[in-house]
């Protein structure tokens, strides 16, 4: 049964698991563009079979709001096995069946007002619009450093305003910063990652 379930997830998850937001989440991005002045979206892109999950912070006028897009984390709650498995499978299957958009998986996330303002200012201080990512500087370490990793995740950040969208992507930034340190873009994206992990209780996938 579990083998068949795994096959089903493989069939279903090729498109949906850890979906790249720019490709699979155009409905959500368009909605945020239309209804906020500026938004920062954070998530990971991996090759593993896990549901799409993103966290967001947006500003409209003087209103700053945090949001999440994810299935309820039922697996983190202690439950009898059969009940927990049924709840988990319901969430996992449901999130794959709908497009990434404003639906039951898109929800506001409470962060106290002062903390929310601190987070927004900290993200602004990182000047993310000016960061050069792997598409500009290249991935990995420069030759002749022979260091590679193939089973990590990419940090994905989307920057939205009403006029434009910018995507930042860094593959295993902490790993490569350790092995060939000093790249400005990686250092800054790691600082942005830390902010989201701390304020959203988001789990790192790196």
């Amino acid at each position: 049964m579990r083998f068949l379930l795994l096959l089903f997830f493989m069939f279903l998850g090729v498109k949906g698991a850890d979906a790249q937001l720019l490709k699979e989440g155009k409905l959500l991005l368009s909605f945020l563009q239309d209804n906020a002045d500026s938004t920062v979206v954070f998530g990971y892109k991996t090759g593993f079979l896990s549901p799409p999950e993103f966290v967001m912070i947006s500003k409209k006028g003087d209103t700053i709001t945090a949001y999440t897009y994810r299935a309820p984390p039922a697996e983190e709650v202690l439950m009898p096995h059969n009940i927990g498995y049924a709840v988990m499978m319901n969430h996992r299957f449901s999130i794959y069946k709908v497009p990434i958009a404003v639906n039951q998986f898109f929800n506001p996330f409470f962060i106290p007002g002062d903390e929310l303002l601190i987070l927004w200012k900290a993200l602004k201080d990182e000047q993310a619009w000016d960061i050069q990512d792997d598409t500009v500087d290249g991935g990995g370490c420069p030759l002749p450093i022979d260091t590679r990793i193939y089973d990590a995740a990419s940090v994905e950040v989307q920057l939205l305003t009403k006029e434009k969208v910018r995507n930042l992507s860094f593959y295993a930034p902490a790993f490569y910063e350790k092995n060939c340190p000093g790249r400005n873009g990686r250092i800054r994206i790691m600082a942005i990652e830390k902010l989201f992990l701390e304020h959203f209780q988001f789990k790192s996938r790196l």
Side-chain angles (χ1 to χ4, degrees):
M1 175 63 182
R2 292 195 176 186
F3 176 72
L4 293 176
L5 189 60
L6 177 60
L7 288 179
F8 180 80
F9 266 115
M10 290 176 67
F11 171 77
L12 193 61
V14 168
K15 179 180 179 182
D18 281 312
Q20 185 179 5
L21 191 57
L22 280 178
K23 284 179 131 183
E24 307 296 339
K26 291 181 179 179
L27 291 174
L28 180 57
L29 293 182
S30 295
F31 178 82
L32 291 169
Q33 276 190 286
D34 291 341
N35 293 280
D37 298 326
S38 183
T39 303
V40 183
V41 185
F42 173 86
Y44 294 103
K45 181 183 177 185
T46 77
F48 300 108
L49 296 174
S50 53
E53 185 175 17
F54 310 99
V55 293
M56 296 144 273
I57 181 171
S58 71
K59 189 173 187 291
K60 172 76 172 179
D62 59 356
T63 301
I64 303 172
T65 311
Y67 304 95
T68 63
Y69 186 92
R70 58 188 174 193
E75 66 274 12
E76 297 178 3
V77 179
L78 183 62
M79 290 180 282
H81 176 270
N82 288 345
I83 297 175
Y85 186 74
V87 171
M88 181 190 73
M89 294 312 299
N90 177 60
H91 292 327
R92 289 296 183 260
F93 280 116
S94 296
I95 200 169
Y96 286 121
K97 292 178 181 178
V98 297
I100 298 173
V102 179
N103 55 38
Q104 67 268 35
F105 302 110
F106 176 76
N107 290 289
F109 181 82
F110 177 73
I111 297 176
D114 291 344
E115 184 181 340
L116 199 59
L117 183 59
I118 290 171
L119 172 57
W120 183 261
K121 288 183 175 179
L123 289 170
K124 188 176 180 180
D125 288 343
E126 290 299 331
Q127 298 180 324
W129 283 99
D130 298 327
I131 291 177
Q132 294 184 331
D133 68 355
D134 285 352
T135 64
V136 177
D137 288 337
C141 291
L143 296 175
I145 300 174
D146 186 18
T147 302
R148 290 282 169 181
I149 187 171
Y150 299 98
D151 59 350
S154 295
V155 172
E156 302 278 319
V157 174
Q158 281 75 38
L159 308 168
L160 315 177
T161 66
K162 291 188 179 299
E163 294 78 26
K164 56 185 177 179
V165 175
R166 188 177 182 211
N167 180 51
L168 298 174
S169 180
F170 289 84
Y171 183 70
F175 174 84
Y176 286 116
E177 181 57 25
K178 179 180 178 181
N179 285 279
C180 46
R183 181 176 288 182
N184 180 264
R186 282 182 184 147
I187 294 170
R188 290 163 68 188
I189 208 69
M190 288 166 61
I192 290 173
E193 177 191 20
K194 182 179 179 182
L195 289 170
F196 277 102
L197 294 179
E198 288 178 348
H199 290 275
F200 284 85
Q201 296 93 53
F202 198 61
K203 288 187 175 181
S204 174
R205 298 193 185 181
L206 299 181

